[in-house]
Amino acid sequence: MIPIIGIVVLFVMVFGGYIIAGGKMAPILKSLPYEMMMIGGAGAAAFLISNSMPTIKATGGAMGKIFSGSKWKKQDFLDVLVLLFMLTKTMKTKGIIALESHIEKPEESSIFSQFPRIVDDHFAIDMICDTLRMMTMNMDDPHQIESHIEKQIEKHHHEALGPSHALQSLADAFPALGIVAAVLGVIKTMAAIDQPPPVLGAMIGGALVGTFLGVFLSYGLAGPFSAKAAVVVDEEGTMYHIIKDVLVSYLHGNAVQVAVEMGRGAIPSHMQPTFAEVENATNEAKL
């Protein structure tokens, strides 16, 4: 909702100020289709040339998140704490054998099935199951486990930022592409130098629309889209760090409740459940 409001404000302020200052929209609207074809088309071509297919596909999904924001809500953070509590509690009280059936087939697990939104995130589930699986194989060095999880999170974060980097590259290219369109307009104008001044003025104005459009698309839309996509990636990445904090804390020998509290402390303030909320939720959890 907020990005949509921002876009509306952008257009109202820029074009409203231009009109109030006495500017005419007719020259812009007349040149806009052709300039947009050159600048937008060249930008789309550059985007396709410079990015891999996974990044191109991911950018489509990232555009949706720019407007919808992070997929994680407050309840999701509470749910992941309860999920980790149930898994580590099972491991502690019932042993490794009881845990194996859950981590080998999480889609069939009676524990995982209680948290469908968490299960839908394949990276989160793989990280939880792989880490617990390593614990069952007696890999219990918390520092080694923490280093391994950090590398996985770093790799995932780097890949998730691909659309943001792609959009920023596009934003960087738009001003230059606008100049290309403007130069073509000047070439067209020079070829009609024998025309009267009113005609030449209109042609020069149309050429300058290219420069305006390139800068406008860059700093008004593509650049902010890139920044927002990066913000969403960072917000969603918080979930994975919370999972790491809980599992590593448990490996350090802390009680299950203490490990969960370590994870709760890492949740962003506006999403953070209270101590009492976590306590009530874990007490109600059915292993």
Side-chain angles (χ1 to χ4, degrees):
M1 184 62 181
I2 293 179
I4 295 176
I5 294 174
I7 292 174
V8 172
V9 171
L10 170 70
F11 278 86
V12 170
M13 292 296 104
V14 171
F15 292 103
Y18 171 73
I19 294 171
I20 292 173
K24 306 293 185 181
M25 288 297 296
I28 295 177
L29 295 176
K30 182 178 179 181
S31 302
L32 188 61
Y34 313 106
E35 301 292 338
M36 192 66 196
M37 178 179 177
M38 287 186 282
I39 299 170
F47 179 81
L48 294 174
I49 292 170
S50 60
N51 293 290
S52 64
M53 184 56 67
T55 299
I56 293 172
K57 291 180 178 179
T59 303
M63 290 302 296
K65 290 185 178 181
I66 288 171
F67 293 97
S68 63
S70 171
K71 65 182 178 181
W72 302 125
K73 309 305 178 187
K74 182 177 179 179
Q75 183 62 44
D76 297 319
F77 287 104
L78 179 60
D79 285 347
V80 79
L81 293 179
V82 177
L83 170 62
L84 293 170
F85 170 85
M86 295 172 72
L87 292 171
T88 51
K89 190 72 172 180
T90 298
M91 185 176 184
K92 188 175 184 66
T93 59
K94 299 182 180 180
I96 293 174
I97 301 300
L99 183 66
E100 284 184 348
S101 62
H102 297 288
I103 61 177
E104 292 301 329
K105 294 183 178 181
E107 66 280 0
E108 299 177 4
S109 166
S110 59
I111 294 179
F112 281 102
S113 62
Q114 298 178 47
F115 310 99
R117 281 179 54 80
I118 307 299
V119 173
D120 285 342
D121 189 305
H122 298 293
F123 178 73
I125 295 303
D126 288 344
M127 184 168 65
I128 293 171
C129 293
D130 290 347
T131 303
L132 292 174
R133 193 176 290 113
M134 286 189 292
M135 292 182 190
T136 64
M137 294 187 292
N138 294 323
M139 184 178 178
D140 54 0
D141 182 350
H143 301 291
Q144 194 173 2
I145 291 286
E146 183 174 14
S147 176
H148 172 74
I149 297 176
E150 283 286 1
K151 289 179 181 178
Q152 294 297 314
I153 294 175
E154 183 179 353
K155 181 185 75 170
H156 181 271
H157 189 73
H158 175 75
E159 293 172 350
L161 282 175
S164 175
H165 295 322
L167 288 171
Q168 186 57 53
S169 296
L170 189 60
D172 294 339
F174 271 139
L177 295 176
I179 293 174
V180 170
V183 169
L184 290 175
V186 171
I187 293 172
K188 176 184 174 184
T189 302
M190 296 305 293
I193 197 67
D194 58 337
Q195 297 296 314
V199 175
L200 292 176
M203 295 178 71
I204 293 172
L208 292 175
V209 170
T211 303
F212 158 75
L213 188 60
V215 175
F216 180 78
L217 290 174
S218 173
Y219 295 101
L221 294 174
F225 282 171
S226 170
K228 182 58 184 293
V231 168
V232 172
V233 169
D234 289 338
E235 290 177 348
E236 293 188 347
T238 303
M239 177 67 77
Y240 311 129
H241 287 282
I242 292 166
I243 293 171
K244 180 206 71 175
D245 289 344
V246 173
L247 294 177
V248 171
S249 177
Y250 176 75
L251 267 176
H252 273 289
N254 291 314
V256 173
Q257 292 84 349
V258 174
V260 169
E261 178 60 21
M262 295 292 287
R264 188 187 75 85
I267 298 174
S269 299
H270 65 288
M271 295 284 192
Q272 188 181 60
T274 65
F275 182 90
E277 287 175 332
V278 175
E279 186 176 36
N280 291 335
T282 54
N283 287 338
E284 295 173 0
K286 297 179 180 180
L287 298 178

